[in-house]
Structures are given as C-alpha cells and as structure tokens.
Amino acid sequence: MISSQRGWFYGYLIIFIFLSLSSIAINAGIKMRLNQILILLLFAAVFIDDVIKKKIDIKSLAILYLGGIIMSLISLNSIYDKIGEIKFIIKYILIFPAAFYLGAKAFEKLSIKNLIQIIEITAFIYVFIAFIFYFYPLPIFTLLATTATDEGALSTYRGTFSETGWFAVVVGAFLLASISLRYDFKIWPKQKIWLNLFYIYLLYSMAMSKNKTVWIAFVVIGLCFILYKIFANLILSNYYQPKHIQDNNPTLKFFSNIEVGKIVFMLVIFTIIFFTINEFLEKPIVSWDMIELKIEQERGKAFVVIMELLRQTNWIGGYGFGFVESYFRHYSGEILGLGEGVGMLFNSYLDSWVSASIFGLMFHLTLLYISFGLRQYFTMVIPIYFFVFANFNPATGSEYYYLFLGLSYGAIFYHKNSINK
C-alpha cells in the first residue's frame, strides 16, 4: 500500500514515463503493454486507499465503467466483420477508466508542487530521448524505440513514441499543463530563466516533429480565450462583483489584466513566425500540395465514405470496435492512412460514432463536459487542447487522453474543495 507523498510521487512518475514506451509488452494469455499493466497496478493502489479513506469517486467510475460496458455490448451485438475487437473492449472496460481515475485522484494523492515536478520531469525525459534518437542514435536507446526496426525509424523527431504526431501533442500537453498549473497556483521559481529556456526547448522539440495539429490546437485555445474575455466582460461582469470574480475565478483575473488586443497581437505574431519558418523548411509543415492530398486521397475521401456508412444506419452507427480496420482494408491504396493495421479513423468522435453508435459519441462528449471548467486556466486549456487533437487524430485510443482529462476533472474538484475550506 502506498501511503506517503513520496510513494505516490514515484508511482505517478513511473506511469507518466512508461506511457511513452508502448513497444514493451507482456504476453500473459493476452498481450498487454507494460505501461497498461502499471496503470492497473497504480489504479488498484489508489482505489484501495480511497476505500479505506471512504473517498471513492463514484461519479467518474460510473460514467467510465458503464459507458465502456454499454459500448462493448453495442460492439458485440454488431454482425459486421471486425478486427481486434477484444483489444478495444479491454481498453474501454479496464485501461481507460483506470487512467481517468488516476488523473482525477492525482490532486488528492500529490501536492501541486509534486504534480508539476512530475509533469516537467517527464517532459524533459521525452524531449531528451527524442534529441538522442535524432542526433545520436545510440544502440542502447534504439532498443526502446517503438519501431526501431523500421527503415528510417530514427529519422524523425519522436523519441520512443510510435508517431511524430503523438510525440508533439503529448509534449504540447505537458507544456500547457506546466504553464497553466504554475499560473493557477502561483508557483514560480525565483529564477525563471531556466524554466523559460525549458519551455522554449519544448516548443523547439514540437517544431522538430513537424506536426500540424498541435499548432492548430494552440491557435484554437487563443481564439477561445479571446471569446471568453469578451464573454466575461460583457456578461459575467453584470452578475458578479469584481472582488468575487478576483477571489474565486483566477482565470477571470487573468483576463482582467490582459486585453483582447494583446492576445490578438500574440496570435498574429505567432502565426507570422510559424508561416515564415514554414516557408524556409525543406519539407514545409503546411503546403497546398499537402492540403490537396488530404482532401482528395486521405481524410476528405474517407469522410465521404464514413458519412455514407452512418447514413445507412439512419445516423445511429454502431458497426463495432475493429470494423474500421476490417472495412477500410478493402480500400487499400485508394484511401491513404486507413486499412490494415489502422484500427481507428482520423477523427476520434466520428470513430466512436461509427464504432459504438451515437452513444459512443455522447460518451466522449460527456467526458469532455465533466472535465471542462471555467474557473481555472488548467481546466480550460487541457480539454480544449485534447478536443482539437481528437478531431484530427485517433486520440481517444490513447491512455494520455483519459489521464489528462482525468487531471482536469480532478482539478475542478480540488478548486471547489479549496473554496469550501
């Protein structure tokens, strides 16, 4: 039983670090990744501790487990051909609820400083290994690579992650989490220069991955802040006294000190810098040829097929987990990015709709809803960030998605409890 802050610290740190090592698996009848086993073990320790202290979060467990069971039954009831269905069922009934619950309980088991330390240590390890892989592919590190045996596996900036996209988005999530938690709880080092250099290097690593979605998410977050600033000034100020806003809503306090014009200015500067760098790259991150390819041969073409599949079920969906890989393997060579070996669609919410019916879509929207809060910077940016990412990638198939949404969910309750004390 883990009972001390130090014990919880190392438990959560190990989970965060090992999440990137998806190549290490154990076959005990059913093949499971080592990081998934570690998640279940830490979840068991957290759950037992909550039982003893009578602090079980029934709400999150009910949503996750009932949702997973219902979606699994919908999938099992489907008569269509499926590939790897049991893998998805195990994740939704065991792994994903455990990951979300661990995130939700992190604010109870850890101090805020320890949580920030875990986030920053993990981010540093990710980008350090990515640097080593890219510039100095030492044999001892290649053993950890997810696809180290693939041709040119070390030619991209992604460390131990299976894809550059996952590396960039996860590093971006850690960057946002570190900044937002430090702002929300006013935890800053006396000398900020090293922290600022660390943040700059995280941004550099994300740029080196040449992933596009992470920058789209940053821009969307900026636009949401602008809208929220306008909303706060025009509406909330009519119902709340200034002191009440200052004391109970640090996010509103943040916006009371930063004008919309400044946020717009920063977005414009960011956009100019991005596209200037993009033009000088040998292989641009964004180009018209790339956009045309995605519309005509990749996501655009897949979207048309997906809409037809949903129309055939009167927009209910429910073809089952693993149907996507089974169905799109017949489109081999016609639609890029889908087919054999690809278990999910490019859009997580469309995938849930197709696979687990409209209920699957509502399940994921519910998770976003309970994880989103307006009273903290952290609980705003994390759900928005992963929502954007999930619309461009199969994010809901990753433990990171549920762990971070769980963190945001837990932060909401931590803030409420702090106010009530």
Side-chain angles (χ1 to χ4, degrees):
M1 175 71 64
I2 302 175
S3 58
S4 66
Q5 272 280 331
R6 185 179 293 273
W8 292 122
F9 176 86
Y10 286 114
Y12 274 89
L13 180 61
I14 290 171
I15 292 298
F16 275 98
I17 293 173
F18 273 82
L19 272 176
S20 70
L21 303 175
S22 57
S23 63
I24 304 177
I26 296 176
N27 195 342
I30 298 176
K31 187 176 181 180
M32 292 186 67
R33 299 199 307 271
L34 177 59
N35 51 30
Q36 294 175 332
I37 295 174
L38 292 173
I39 285 174
L40 292 177
L41 290 175
L42 186 59
F43 168 71
V46 169
F47 184 77
I48 293 172
D49 189 60
D50 284 351
V51 170
I52 294 173
K53 297 178 179 178
K54 297 180 180 180
K55 290 185 176 182
I56 301 174
D57 188 347
I58 300 296
K59 177 183 176 180
S60 64
L61 289 177
I63 292 174
L64 269 296
Y65 280 114
L66 287 176
I69 291 171
I70 292 173
M71 287 189 292
S72 298
L73 292 175
I74 291 172
S75 178
L76 291 170
N77 190 55
S78 170
I79 61 174
Y80 297 95
D81 291 333
K82 291 161 283 185
I83 296 176
E85 180 182 32
I86 188 65
K87 174 184 67 177
F88 288 97
I89 292 175
I90 290 174
K91 284 185 175 182
Y92 273 104
I93 292 181
L94 292 178
I95 310 300
F96 294 157
F100 187 94
Y101 196 81
L102 287 179
K105 288 295 180 174
F107 285 87
E108 292 183 15
K109 309 304 179 185
L110 302 164
S111 67
I112 303 301
K113 287 185 178 180
N114 280 347
L115 179 57
I116 293 173
Q117 284 181 327
I118 289 172
I119 288 170
E120 293 175 353
I121 291 172
T122 305
F124 175 78
I125 291 173
Y126 287 173
V127 296
F128 175 75
I129 292 178
F131 177 87
I132 296 295
F133 270 35
Y134 189 78
F135 293 103
Y136 305 101
L138 302 175
I140 190 173
F141 285 106
T142 60
L143 293 174
L144 299 175
T146 304
T147 54
T149 56
D150 293 347
E151 184 178 355
L154 302 180
S155 63
T156 54
Y157 207 94
R158 59 183 173 84
T160 57
F161 287 80
S162 59
E163 298 177 4
T164 56
W166 273 112
F167 169 78
V169 172
V170 170
V171 171
F174 279 97
L175 173 62
L176 288 174
S178 173
I179 295 173
S180 58
L181 285 173
R182 284 188 176 278
Y183 171 78
D184 283 335
F185 296 97
K186 303 299 181 290
I187 300 174
W188 301 102
K190 293 181 180 179
Q191 298 294 331
K192 292 185 180 180
I193 182 170
W194 297 110
L195 182 63
N196 291 333
L197 288 175
F198 175 61
Y199 289 158
I200 291 172
Y201 188 70
L202 293 184
L203 289 170
Y204 166 78
S205 298
M206 290 155 55
M208 283 292 291
S209 73
K210 298 184 180 180
N211 178 260
K212 296 166 283 294
T213 307
V214 65
W215 307 113
I216 295 173
F218 279 13
V219 171
V220 169
I221 288 172
L223 293 174
C224 287
F225 282 171
I226 293 172
L227 294 175
Y228 183 61
K229 168 65 176 178
I230 296 172
F231 173 78
N233 283 347
L234 297 180
I235 300 178
L236 294 183
S237 59
N238 294 326
Y239 295 95
Y240 294 94
Q241 295 298 319
K243 188 178 185 305
H244 180 78
I245 296 175
Q246 297 288 326
D247 293 340
N248 297 292
N249 198 328
T251 306
L252 289 181
K253 184 178 179 181
F254 171 74
F255 284 114
S256 67
N257 296 324
I258 296 183
E259 298 298 328
V260 173
K262 293 181 180 179
I263 301 176
V264 173
F265 176 75
M266 288 187 289
L267 281 176
V268 170
I269 294 298
F270 171 81
T271 304
I272 291 173
I273 293 174
F274 174 79
F275 282 102
T276 300
I277 296 174
N278 185 72
E279 287 297 317
F280 285 98
L281 291 175
E282 183 180 350
K283 294 181 179 179
I285 299 174
V286 178
S287 67
W288 285 113
D289 290 339
M290 178 271 294
I291 295 173
E292 185 177 0
L293 176 68
K294 289 188 177 294
I295 293 175
E296 295 181 358
Q297 300 181 41
E298 192 179 294
R299 302 186 180 206
K301 192 171 183 178
F303 182 78
V304 174
V305 176
I306 294 164
M307 288 297 101
E308 177 59 23
L309 287 171
L310 290 174
R311 188 195 63 80
Q312 291 175 10
T313 62
N314 293 319
W315 307 102
I316 296 175
Y319 286 92
F321 296 129
F323 167 80
V324 168
E325 181 176 353
S326 176
Y327 184 81
F328 281 95
R329 64 179 173 172
H330 302 300
Y331 284 82
S332 179
E334 296 182 36
I335 300 179
L336 301 178
L338 289 175
E340 191 169 355
V342 181
M344 295 180 67
L345 296 172
F346 61 89
N347 184 301
S348 293
Y349 304 117
L350 279 179
D351 182 88
S352 299
W353 192 351
V354 169
S355 302
S357 79
I358 194 71
F359 177 84
L361 174 62
M362 296 306 299
F363 168 78
H364 285 291
L365 294 179
T366 300
L367 286 187
L368 287 169
Y369 175 76
I370 65 173
S371 303
F372 182 81
L374 290 173
R375 294 189 177 277
Q376 296 176 82
Y377 187 32
F378 180 77
T379 58
M380 289 180 64
V381 298
I382 293 300
I384 293 173
Y385 182 79
F386 277 96
F387 172 75
V388 173
F389 180 48
N391 273 283
F392 292 90
N393 296 271
T396 57
S398 168
E399 291 81 8
Y400 281 108
Y401 181 85
Y402 300 91
L403 183 60
F404 271 93
L405 288 186
L407 283 170
S408 183
Y409 172 83
I412 293 172
F413 285 92
Y414 181 87
H415 179 73
K416 288 181 180 179
N417 293 333
S418 298
I419 293 176
N420 294 331
K421 287 183 179 180

